[in-house]
Amino acid sequence: MLTCDTYLMPEGLNEALRLWAEAAPGSRLLAGGTDTLPWARQGRAGDATGDVHVDTVIDLTRVAGLDVVEELPNGRLRIGAGVVLQRFLEDPLLRAHLPHMKPCAVWFADDQIRRQATLAGNIVNASPAADGTPPMLVANAEVELSRWSGGARSLRHVALGDFVLGPGRTALEPGDMVTAIVCDSLAGYGGAFEKVGQRRSLVISTVCVSCCAKPDPDGTRFADLRMALGGIGPVPVRATEVEAALNGGPLTLDAIEAAARMPLDRVASRTRRDYRREVVEGFVRRVVLGALADQGLVLEGDPGDA
Amino acid sequence: MPEQIVAMTVNGRPIKRVVSPSLRLLDFLREEIEFTGTKEGCGAGECGTCSVFMNGKLIKSCLMPVAKAHGATVETVEGLAENGVPTPIQKAFHKVGASQCGFCIPGMVMAATAALRDNPRAEQDEIKERLGGNICRCTGYQKIVEAVELARDVMNGTRPAALLDEDDPTERHMGANTRRIDAPGKVSGALRYAADLTMPHMLHMQVLRSDRPHARIVHIGTSAAEALPGVAGVITAADVPGTDGFGVFVHDQPVMARGKVRYVGEAVAAVAAEDLETAKRAVRLIRVVYEDLPAVFDPEAALREGAPVVHDHAPDNLIKHIPIFKGDVDAAFAKADVIVANTYETQPVEHAYLEPEAGLAYLDADGVVTVVSPSQNITHHRHMLADILDLPINRVRMIMSPVGGGFGGKEDMIYQGMLAIMTLRTRRPVRLVFTREDSITSTAKRHPARISYRMGLMSDGRIVASRIKAVSDGGAYGMSTEGVMRKMAILGPGPYAIPNVRIDTYGVYTNNTPSGAFRTFGAMQSEFATETHLDLCAKRLGLDPFEIRRINGFVDGAETHTRQTLGSVSLGRVLAAARDASNWEPGPPDVRGPRRRDLGRPDTRAPCTLGARDRRGILGASGRVRGRGMAASWYGIARTATTDRAGAWVEIDDGGTAKVLTGVTEIGEGILTVLAQVTADELGIRPADVTIGDNDTARSPEAAHAGATRQTYMIANAVALACRDARRRFDAEIAACWEVDPSQIEAVNGQIWARETNHRMSMAEAVQVCKAKRGVVPVGSGSYTAPHGGLDPVTGAGTPWQAYVYGCQVAEVEVDTVTGEVQVLGIWAAHDVGRAINPRGIEGQIEGGVVQGLGQALMEDYKLSDGHTSTHGFAKYILPTVLDVPRVTSVIVEDPDPLSPLGAKGIGEPALLPTAPAIINAIYDAVGVRITSLPATPEKIRAALRAKKNDTQPCNAAE
């Protein structure tokens, strides 16, 4: 169990940042808590009796404004760090702008957990298998980091690909707090997400792939296709070679087939590498077809399995 | 200790408390304000037993620091029923038999409530998604989903509310779908399990466990722990007053490690303190000096000469070898047309009952040491505990608390000894509650087995010889290993008339987590091998898998492998029932899946594609292939190769009711309801009139354990005999009063009359007559005996059981060739139960057994590396969810047992037997890869597909 001496629930962002800046070493920020509490148990971070003790927990769920989603003047979206996964299924703004998040969110943990778990928390947890990270890579996301310094809030942005450094490791510096994820709007794209684990609900991905695609107006070529892979190495990555191969090219099964074999060398996991390579190949095919189908475009003669 | 103020409204009541900031909402609800309907199954958000509403949203309260609920409105399961009237959902759970052990049920009811509050017209797919975060280990989910759909329709007015009520009482209750008598307390959250109990002055216990697989204990330093304020006692092996050692067949396990530790997770010392936090802090202060010893983790390595010795009494590390042979196997192989050989492996499996172990011990007013715990065998526990405590047996009392799932895992007395010693030492009540991680790391698993198989057949399909050798890891202590090896051997060759058989099973000590009793007690492992092996043989001979079983199957009067002559054998009926129910298309098992025409019937489910509420652009079936497989099974009822017995007392009570006292162990299977039905029919009252005394060694006669599929067979017969005894006494008095012959007396549903006369009254009046006018209290007792004989130690010959059951299941699967995932879409399960006392309860056992079999077939795997597990919790130890389970069609076959009063046999364990081999055979049918090592994970199937494509020797198969 996570135990603490002090549990704080600030209601303003500046207050939260100040508390965090002043918190004793080893203190923790907490949002939904759905990763942190299971982490603080036997067999994971817990000691012999299954506890992890920290000085202070700063709970961010009551910080005003953290759960806001805004459309920025540059066309990007700013998703507050308090936005939970369930919002991607229900919020009309998010549904319209991030169609590829719906199939990700619907597979995410379970019905109860995704009402507490935040996208930002999923990213900060930096699991190689984090389901939320690949779709955000696809959306060219940046992580908005805030800190309290010199009596004021300071801000910086780090590209998501530079933020997640390895299993459980991020570019967060002491005093940093993720306050938002800023990403592209993908309105008008089709979205798809594939994941495999050991069962069908409440399951950690062995491999997951996110994709969004937009055909050109006459439906014959890929105008923009983006893809990212998770569970295949220390960090989720964009499948840039697939994107390069398909973008501008014809919407054909042959093209997709050829592209599906490209990212296999990206599979750098220490375990189950052959398995993951095969799944990636199949999933690339499925997500491209799925993203097109989400746009109402069904390619004839879907070739199926390998 | 730090504190903070928390205020919230719980079930309409404003509550304010000063609490530790480390509490979770779950702890607050359970411990501070005693709403114990909310359960802790895993503590990590993986099981849903703790689901509650917070500000109208369903949440897992184990993931919720209590401060988050400050100012919130919280609704728990206790808050659902207004003025005690259950909601339609609760009523529907009761009606359809959706609760078994009941531990997951409060969370399930909450999840169902959330689903229908959010969408009163939710379709089945959406309901399943909404329940996807709640694990049930008993029911297989089918009746839970059925209950939610029934409640939905009643609430929407599309089905009549009367469907939620008890069916009209029939004249005979045996054979009717009587609602479970223990369900109302389960759906309301009122039933208190051991972890829900408290007593004044109660201490909290915590256990220090070994982090070494094999080490000598040089020293245990407890002084710092003892000196910690708030600590009331610290105990180690040195504090055991009597003969230290427990187990089922050999008492080789000390209450706490004595001299050395033999596995990671073994108890070394225990602390009791005023509160849990202090007890934990004290555990951290205990210093153990170990000297590591060479350890052994593989049973075959453990059998080799020079291997590290786990127990001095077994220098060869052999716990038990069971041989059975008849005929001349070698000569038969020489004459066989074909010989098929292969090797199979089954994995260790965790019981994963949703209720982690817990117990409360105290000294009663007379000083009797009393332990309340969810034990499957308090009779045996009392025997062992009296020796351990060196007390006369009647100074030790075991009380069974409601068992939140057992499946064999709660037969071993792994913590009750510590509780008893601690309560004697401190003279105060002591409670111990396991975390999920404690439960997984310290308790027994299903024995993993490595089984080599050689079968000789004639070209017409007759099996002429079977040679089977199974080596099984018993882990660090003997527990049930001997019995498991025995059952694995007796049943291993399958329900087939094989003239020449040799089977040897070996249970071996290692430094792994102990193996113990688990539903089917070894039969699953050996029958899995047989039933998958028969598929290979059928393919080789071009025979339909039903046909090869029909050719070889036992028939009436057949001789078993232990040379017992059988009476009536239902195997042929059972095979036909499964074949017909599934509309099986005949043909050999040669990868017919892609061309079968019997797939996708209405009694299968659709493959799971998440997003019922957001379905759009679903892709077709590309890369997904279906297939079907089947398997048969057999099982013996009640204790193996030893005489079994059970007793009961009955009183026909005021108001025409009845009290039944028997040491019955309801672990969720519904035995209490079965006994109420039996009592009702025998006494002529209604099941609702029956009160059944809880299992308590100081209050009820011995009926022994929940296991061996024995309770309906042994205890229902004992209760029937006790009822008949009471009725003899009762009828004699009523007959004397009416001046008729007792043989004229009949009673049904609360009415009693004398045949061929006008004498008639209510049972309530009759009891009054019997007691007030005649001065007789109508009591009765019954004892039922099943005279089983031991096996010959050399040949294995003997009569291990008098009643046998048979089963057959057909599985339909869909394999995703991209990911290797398998979805089981349909199971048709035909099982002989002797006589069906409660068909709905039997269906519940079959559905639950199927899903446990599915878990073992596809996903469950207790992983150990050098004795350390990497599957501590439900995030890593994967169990089937409602989205992973098939549509199950149960077919009940009745072949009454002629040797017992009621004719009923049993279903609890055998329901699980055919599932895993049927699924594995179906996978082969679909994609042509044979998985011989369980579980058939996506990765293993992909690897086998790769090997097949590359035309290399399949890594996981040999033919």
Side-chain angles (χ1 to χ4, degrees):
Chain A
M1 258 172 65
L2 184 69
T3 63
C4 64
D5 295 328
T6 311
Y7 194 98
L8 300 172
M9 298 196 79
E11 295 183 355
L13 182 56
N14 286 348
E15 181 194 0
L17 290 169
R18 187 177 51 74
L19 290 170
W20 183 227
E22 294 164 1
S27 296
R28 284 186 81 92
L29 294 175
L30 195 80
T34 58
D35 272 327
T36 301
L37 269 68
W39 163 82
R41 292 187 64 84
Q42 286 151 278
R44 296 191 64 193
D47 63 12
T49 55
D51 285 352
V52 170
H53 186 77
V54 299
D55 184 274
T56 302
V57 172
I58 301 172
D59 183 321
L60 301 176
T61 43
R62 297 200 181 183
V63 172
L66 263 194
D67 63 347
V68 169
V69 178
E70 328 167 53
E71 297 175 76
L72 300 177
N74 61 3
R76 301 253 287 172
L77 285 181
R78 184 179 175 278
I79 303 166
V83 170
V84 298
L85 270 302
Q86 183 70 12
R87 285 272 294 279
F88 294 90
L89 294 172
E90 292 174 353
D91 185 323
L93 189 71
L94 286 171
R95 285 173 65 95
H97 283 294
L98 297 172
H100 72 316
M101 274 303 291
K102 287 182 286 179
C104 168
V106 82
W107 281 100
F108 193 96
D110 69 36
D111 218 77
Q112 297 167 58
I113 288 172
R114 57 180 177 257
R115 286 173 162 76
Q116 302 299 322
T118 61
L119 175 64
N122 187 240
I123 290 171
V124 168
N125 194 46
S127 161
D131 282 353
T133 302
M136 284 296 108
L137 287 171
V138 159
N140 293 322
E142 294 171 306
V143 180
E144 178 193 291
L145 298 171
S146 303
R147 58 191 297 118
W148 193 254
S149 64
R153 175 186 173 205
S154 71
L155 264 187
R156 66 193 168 104
H157 290 83
V158 179
L160 179 55
D162 299 328
F163 179 76
V164 180
L165 303 176
R169 289 196 301 121
T170 64
L172 278 173
E173 300 282 345
D176 277 347
M177 180 189 296
V178 175
T179 42
I181 308 295
V182 179
C183 70
D184 288 349
S185 162
L186 296 169
Y189 284 70
F193 185 83
E194 290 285 339
K195 122 181 201 177
V196 62
Q198 302 280 357
R199 64 179 175 196
R200 285 275 155 173
S201 180
L202 197 55
V203 66
I204 297 163
S205 293
T206 309
V207 176
C208 61
V209 180
S210 172
C211 178
C212 69
K214 187 157 72 172
D216 67 6
D218 60 5
T220 58
R221 287 178 178 276
F222 288 102
D224 187 17
L225 176 134
R226 307 185 201 171
M227 186 183 295
L229 318 173
I232 44 81
V235 294
V237 291
R238 276 283 281 269
T240 45
E241 62 283 74
V242 176
E243 298 175 0
L246 292 178
N247 277 324
L251 275 174
T252 65
L253 292 172
D254 287 346
I256 296 167
E257 276 299 295
R261 286 188 285 277
M262 292 178 169
L264 303 189
D265 290 339
R266 287 187 177 269
V267 177
S269 310
R270 281 176 300 167
T271 59
R272 299 189 266 179
R273 192 180 297 195
D274 285 345
Y275 175 68
R276 288 180 157 112
R277 286 167 59 98
E278 289 170 348
V279 172
V280 164
E281 184 178 347
F283 274 2
V284 168
R285 195 183 301 115
R286 278 189 184 164
V287 290
V288 174
L289 292 171
L292 293 173
D294 193 33
Q295 282 283 292
L297 242 167
V298 178
L299 291 196
E300 291 302 319
D302 175 352
D305 67 307
Chain B
M1 240 176 263
E3 289 176 334
Q4 70 187 70
I5 295 172
V6 174
M8 66 185 85
T9 302
V10 181
N11 298 332
R13 264 161 54 191
I15 305 244
K16 193 172 181 181
R17 290 281 192 284
V18 178
V19 297
S20 156
S22 301
L23 289 192
R24 303 161 299 171
L25 177 58
L26 173 64
D27 306 313
F28 182 81
L29 294 171
R30 289 178 51 78
E31 304 294 335
E32 290 291 325
I33 59 175
E34 298 179 322
F35 280 114
T36 54
T38 306
K39 308 297 182 193
E40 177 160 9
C42 75
E46 296 281 343
C47 80
T49 56
C50 67
S51 298
V52 300
F53 287 103
M54 189 170 102
N55 295 330
K57 257 193 289 191
L58 193 69
I59 56 118
K60 290 181 167 175
S61 60
C62 75
L63 297 182
M64 184 70 48
V66 66
K68 275 187 192 287
H70 181 62
T73 298
V74 173
E75 195 179 359
T76 72
V77 70
E78 291 95 337
L80 293 179
E82 275 180 48
N83 300 318
V85 179
T87 65
I89 290 173
Q90 289 172 313
K91 286 184 185 171
F93 269 63
H94 183 196
K95 176 61 188 285
V96 310
S99 73
Q100 289 188 23
C101 85
F103 201 81
C104 76
I105 292 301
M108 283 289 181
V109 166
M110 297 302 274
T113 303
L116 295 185
R117 278 183 186 172
D118 285 359
N119 181 6
R121 298 186 188 282
E123 296 286 332
Q124 190 184 95
D125 280 357
E126 182 176 340
I127 290 168
K128 286 183 176 176
E129 278 184 36
R130 298 300 301 264
L131 303 182
N134 290 62
I135 303 286
C136 171
R137 189 60 160 166
C138 296
T139 66
Y141 304 101
Q142 189 152 311
K143 300 222 180 301
I144 290 173
V145 174
E146 185 187 337
V148 184
E149 291 190 284
L150 173 61
R152 173 199 63 200
D153 293 349
V154 167
M155 289 193 285
N156 290 335
T158 57
R159 278 199 271 175
L163 286 179
L164 299 177
D165 300 330
E166 179 81 274
D167 293 338
D168 285 336
T170 49
E171 191 162 298
R172 303 291 294 175
H173 298 283
M174 278 189 265
N177 285 325
T178 303
R179 288 188 303 185
R180 286 182 67 116
I181 63 173
D182 56 352
K186 291 174 174 173
V187 300
S188 69
L191 185 68
R192 287 181 159 244
Y193 298 81
D196 305 333
L197 303 176
T198 56
M199 286 186 93
H201 311 295
M202 185 178 84
L203 295 167
H204 296 262
M205 191 154 113
Q206 283 286 289
V207 177
L208 177 69
R209 298 187 177 281
S210 167
D211 58 357
R212 320 287 174 105
H214 201 192
R216 193 169 74 82
I217 299 172
V218 178
H219 174 72
I220 306 177
T222 58
S223 51
E226 282 162 354
L228 189 70
V231 170
V234 180
I235 55 170
T236 67
D239 300 295
V240 176
T243 309
D244 195 4
F246 64 92
V248 179
F249 294 88
V250 51
H251 290 192
D252 63 353
Q253 185 160 7
V255 172
M256 287 161 282
R258 179 172 291 276
K260 68 173 183 174
V261 293
R262 295 181 174 86
Y263 76 99
V264 174
E266 180 169 4
V268 174
V271 173
E274 300 292 340
D275 58 76
L276 194 59
E277 272 190 65
T278 304
K280 285 182 167 186
R281 205 171 310 138
V283 162
R284 289 181 208 122
L285 293 174
I286 298 174
R287 292 285 168 263
V288 185
V289 180
Y290 291 109
E291 181 186 300
D292 284 318
L293 297 169
V296 61
F297 305 110
D298 179 88
E300 280 167 23
L303 287 174
R304 278 181 217 124
E305 210 166 299
V309 174
V310 181
H311 289 268
D312 292 342
H313 70 259
D316 54 1
N317 290 321
L318 184 65
I319 304 173
K320 192 70 184 177
H321 164 216
I322 302 285
I324 293 174
F325 72 87
K326 78 174 190 181
D328 185 339
V329 173
D330 292 333
F333 278 128
K335 289 181 196 154
D337 291 335
V338 293
I339 292 174
V340 180
N342 208 351
T343 301
Y344 301 90
E345 283 181 0
T346 64
Q347 77 278 39
V349 176
E350 160 62 23
H351 301 80
Y353 25 73
L354 268 291
E355 180 208 22
E357 288 76 0
L360 174 63
Y362 58 91
L363 300 177
D364 75 8
D366 299 321
V368 173
V369 180
T370 307
V371 181
V372 186
S373 68
S375 158
Q376 287 182 244
N377 194 349
I378 64 174
T379 311
H380 183 52
H381 289 187
R382 185 173 70 141
H383 289 156
M384 294 188 290
L385 201 52
D387 287 344
I388 287 166
L389 301 177
D390 194 23
L391 287 173
I393 197 159
N394 69 344
R395 302 297 291 167
V396 178
R397 177 181 176 195
M398 306 294 288
I399 299 175
M400 184 196 73
S401 57
V403 182
F407 317 115
K410 289 173 180 166
E411 283 184 23
D412 299 299
M413 199 187 71
I414 65 162
Y415 58 99
Q416 288 90 346
M418 289 187 282
L419 279 166
I421 293 164
M422 189 64 91
T423 203
L424 273 169
R425 157 161 293 216
T426 60
R427 321 295 296 177
R428 289 173 65 178
V430 183
R431 190 178 79 179
L432 170 65
V433 180
F434 280 39
T435 61
R436 175 56 55 187
E437 293 88 345
D438 290 335
S439 178
I440 291 182
T441 54
S442 70
T443 70
K445 304 289 167 275
R446 184 189 290 290
H447 286 75
R450 205 170 292 155
I451 301 173
S452 59
Y453 217 112
R454 211 167 131 82
M455 187 181 272
L457 303 97
M458 304 312 288
S459 50
D460 62 4
R462 279 178 297 126
I463 307 168
V464 293
S466 280
R467 176 77 181 90
I468 306 161
K469 182 184 168 195
V471 177
S472 203
D473 184 354
Y477 290 100
M479 292 192 166
S480 299
T481 292
E482 177 179 331
V484 169
M485 291 307 107
R486 190 173 291 116
K487 198 170 265 185
M488 190 185 283
I490 298 171
L491 296 169
Y496 308 109
I498 307 169
N500 306 286
V501 176
R502 167 101 210 185
I503 178 163
D504 294 274
T505 58
Y506 301 85
V508 185
Y509 283 123
T510 66
N511 294 110
N512 288 328
T513 315
S515 302
F518 195 152
R519 198 175 193 169
T520 78
F521 215 62
M524 181 276 154
Q525 294 90 321
S526 52
E527 293 194 37
F528 166 75
T530 297
E531 295 298 316
T532 43
H533 199 74
L534 274 178
D535 223 44
L536 296 184
C537 299
K539 185 192 171 208
R540 178 79 73 87
L541 298 171
L543 287 170
D544 176 86
F546 277 95
E547 182 62 10
I548 196 169
R549 287 167 175 82
R550 189 197 59 76
I551 291 169
N552 292 289
F554 287 148
V555 294
D556 294 356
E559 188 191 67
T560 66
H561 319 299
T562 64
R563 310 180 202 199
Q564 177 182 359
T565 301
L566 296 170
S568 171
V569 173
S570 61
L571 178 63
R573 287 172 62 197
V574 166
L575 289 171
R579 189 192 58 215
D580 295 348
S582 64
N583 196 28
W584 176 269
E585 182 186 271
D590 56 358
V591 201
R592 290 191 295 136
R595 56 179 200 277
R596 295 185 84 106
R597 286 160 303 167
D598 54 359
L599 302 171
R601 286 156 38 95
D603 48 0
T604 55
R605 70 165 165 105
C608 168
T609 47
L610 274 184
R613 284 161 286 169
D614 198 36
R615 186 162 288 159
R616 189 152 92 91
I618 297 296
L619 281 184
S622 76
R624 297 172 175 98
V625 191
R626 293 195 191 183
R628 278 181 158 203
M630 60 79 64
S633 63
W634 69 318
Y635 206 68
I637 299 298
R639 283 183 174 162
T640 307
T642 186
T643 294
D644 204 351
R645 77 244 174 199
W649 297 330
V650 167
E651 178 188 351
I652 305 174
D653 202 356
D654 294 336
T657 65
K659 283 201 289 268
V660 176
L661 280 182
T662 177
V664 63
T665 304
E666 169 70 64
I667 60 170
E669 73 281 67
I671 184 64
L672 297 183
T673 308
V674 164
L675 297 185
Q677 290 175 267
V678 168
T679 304
D681 275 8
E682 293 287 343
L683 298 184
I685 57 178
R686 289 160 303 220
D689 301 326
V690 181
T691 301
I692 300 181
D694 267 340
N695 198 357
D696 176 339
T697 56
R699 300 286 183 272
S700 19
E702 174 181 323
H705 73 302
T709 309
R710 63 183 290 283
Q711 292 210 99
T712 295
Y713 192 69
M714 298 305 303
I715 306 176
N717 280 322
V719 167
L721 294 174
C723 287
R724 290 173 194 182
D725 190 35
R727 271 295 292 278
R728 261 195 302 278
R729 185 166 282 133
F730 184 67
D731 289 3
E733 300 305 325
I734 303 301
C737 179
W738 282 339
E739 297 177 343
V740 300
D741 190 85
S743 66
Q744 289 172 268
I745 303 288
E746 290 194 11
V748 171
N749 274 336
Q751 291 292 311
I752 186 165
W753 65 91
R755 238 183 12 257
E756 295 150 22
T757 72
N758 288 329
H759 293 300
R760 184 182 192 90
M761 59 183 156
S762 69
M763 282 296 281
E765 292 165 319
V767 172
Q768 189 60 20
V769 167
C770 185
K771 295 214 289 199
K773 282 201 180 153
R774 309 287 306 172
V776 171
V777 178
V779 293
S781 65
S783 172
Y784 183 66
T785 310
H788 302 153
L791 303 187
D792 182 281
V794 177
T795 66
T799 306
W801 300 286
Q802 63 179 11
Y804 288 83
V805 292
Y806 304 86
C808 179
Q809 294 180 9
V810 172
E812 183 167 325
V813 304
E814 181 178 278
V815 183
D816 183 331
T817 55
V818 168
T819 61
E821 282 175 291
V822 175
Q823 296 198 53
V824 183
L825 305 177
I827 293 275
W828 295 265
H831 288 272
D832 169 25
V833 300
R835 176 179 172 196
I837 294 178
N838 190 316
R840 193 181 281 142
I842 291 166
E843 287 169 17
Q845 288 301 296
I846 293 175
E847 290 158 12
V850 161
V851 169
Q852 282 191 358
L854 178 151
Q856 177 156 18
L858 298 180
M859 56 188 81
E860 296 182 37
D861 199 359
Y862 177 71
K863 288 190 178 140
L864 284 167
S865 170
D866 290 346
H868 294 263
T869 185
S870 56
T871 48
H872 296 86
F874 287 163
K876 289 288 175 71
Y877 188 85
I878 303 294
L879 298 161
T881 71
V882 67
L883 294 169
D884 300 292
V885 302
R887 177 85 205 160
V888 179
T889 303
S890 299
V891 185
I892 297 172
V893 175
E894 293 184 278
D895 181 30
D897 173 50
L899 301 173
S900 60
L902 297 173
K905 293 190 278 199
I907 185 64
E909 294 169 281
L912 174 148
L913 285 169
T915 310
I919 289 171
I920 295 301
N921 292 343
I923 292 169
Y924 182 81
D925 189 55
V927 293
V929 301
R930 178 156 300 282
I931 303 301
T932 55
S933 160
L934 296 182
T937 58
E939 186 193 0
K940 257 186 221 172
I941 289 174
R942 249 325 312 175
L945 285 168
R946 183 190 320 133
K948 183 178 164 234
K949 192 177 173 188
N950 298 341
D951 205 25
T952 55
Q953 180 66 28
C955 63
N956 194 39
E959 287 183 37

